[in-house]
Amino acid sequence: MKVLVVEDSPRLRQSLEIGLNKVGFTVDTASDGKEGVSFIKSYNYDVIVLDIMLPKLNGFEILRIAKDRKVDAGILMLTARDQVSDRVKGLEMGADDYLCKPFAFEELVARIKTITRRQSKADNFELVFGDIKVDLNMKHVEVKEHQLSLTPTEYAIIEQLALSAGKVIPFETLQDKIRTSDKFISRNALEVNVSHIRKKINKIQPNNFIQTKRGTGYFINR
């Protein structure tokens, strides 16, 4: 797996390069936005780890360039812990995930691996869980070949859980991933949406498609 790290902190950049090399990744590093864009234009990557606060070109500008060039790499944004607006903006612009500084190296590796799994699944456009099919291309869900009538929020919840099947997504993380710039999804609203999804699915085929890990989050079994 080939990873590009765009980070202006010499200490963190070197630490990530050494650590990611040790776990078997091939790593390139860039110290500013312009250098990062140069690497993106010259080489193909599986994942780009992209800091937002960068000299010359910031992370949002690099993300926009990458999306305009239809770069296939998954993009993981590094953000300040208190900057919710940055996380939302990055996700709305097409970033695959974010990680708040400071972070544990093991979590970074896990998120990189999750992004590559999502990319592999997304290439197939369809995720199948028994009688339930999630069509990532057409953005709809079928139960026993019956298409569910879902709101955009309900579909977004299913898509996020399906892409991370087998893994619990914490409530707060799911709230962040499905929110829009003008609509915050509260914990209560999230629970109501999940309840509606369950009722719609169970009306066709009773099952435990979306499961709850008490006090933690939701998950879908593979």
Side-chain angles (χ1 to χ4, degrees):
M1 185 187 304
K2 191 168 185 179
V3 178
L4 172 65
V5 176
V6 189
E7 167 60 56
D8 63 324
S9 165
R11 182 176 179 180
L12 178 56
R13 188 172 63 251
Q14 183 180 33
S15 175
L16 292 180
E17 181 178 15
I18 293 171
L20 292 173
N21 275 322
K22 283 184 177 179
V23 297
F25 298 161
T26 300
V27 185
D28 287 334
T29 64
S31 59
D32 61 58
K34 286 189 175 180
E35 186 179 20
V37 169
S38 178
F39 274 107
I40 291 169
K41 289 180 177 180
S42 301
Y43 305 102
N44 294 322
Y45 296 96
D46 296 296
V47 176
I48 299 169
V49 178
L50 182 59
D51 190 21
I52 289 179
M53 300 301 292
L54 291 166
K56 299 185 180 179
L57 289 174
N58 66 41
F60 295 128
E61 292 171 305
I62 298 172
L63 176 59
R64 184 175 293 109
I65 290 170
K67 292 302 176 181
D68 287 344
R69 293 179 64 86
K70 302 187 184 303
V71 170
D72 290 333
I75 297 179
L76 173 63
M77 307 290 287
L78 301 180
T79 74
R81 184 170 296 278
D82 60 344
Q83 293 299 312
V84 175
S85 59
D86 282 350
R87 302 200 292 272
V88 173
K89 182 177 180 179
L91 292 171
E92 289 184 335
M93 289 177 63
D96 296 274
D97 203 353
Y98 66 84
L99 190 58
C100 297
K101 293 182 177 181
F103 53 84
F105 176 73
E106 293 79 7
E107 183 177 5
L108 174 68
V109 173
R111 287 178 180 264
I112 289 174
K113 290 180 178 179
T114 297
I115 288 173
T116 56
R117 286 198 299 269
R118 287 176 186 166
Q119 288 176 299
S120 176
K121 290 176 181 177
D123 287 342
N124 295 325
F125 296 116
E126 292 182 354
L127 304 179
V128 179
F129 306 89
D131 291 327
I132 298 177
K133 180 173 71 176
V134 182
D135 190 318
L136 302 174
N137 189 26
M138 299 304 296
K139 301 293 183 184
H140 69 233
V141 178
E142 294 180 6
V143 180
K144 299 191 74 172
E145 299 185 355
H146 295 278
Q147 185 174 325
L148 292 183
S149 176
L150 298 170
T151 67
T153 298
E154 289 169 352
Y155 173 79
I157 291 170
I158 292 177
E159 182 180 80
Q160 290 297 327
L161 292 171
L163 287 169
S164 298
K167 175 184 176 183
V168 176
I169 298 185
F171 299 120
E172 296 80 5
T173 301
L174 192 54
Q175 286 172 249
D176 274 344
K177 287 183 177 295
I178 65 175
R179 69 182 291 173
T180 61
S181 58
D182 61 347
K183 185 178 181 182
F184 172 75
I185 305 298
S186 68
R187 170 73 174 275
N188 182 64
L190 177 64
E191 292 173 352
V192 169
N193 276 276
V194 170
S195 177
H196 288 167
I197 293 168
R198 286 169 169 160
K199 289 177 181 177
K200 290 177 180 180
I201 292 175
N202 290 340
K203 190 174 181 179
I204 301 172
Q205 174 67 54
N207 61 47
N208 294 315
F209 181 56
I210 297 179
Q211 300 186 50
T212 304
K213 185 172 179 62
R214 189 173 181 180
T216 304
Y218 296 110
F219 67 98
I220 292 174
N221 281 323
R222 285 193 176 91

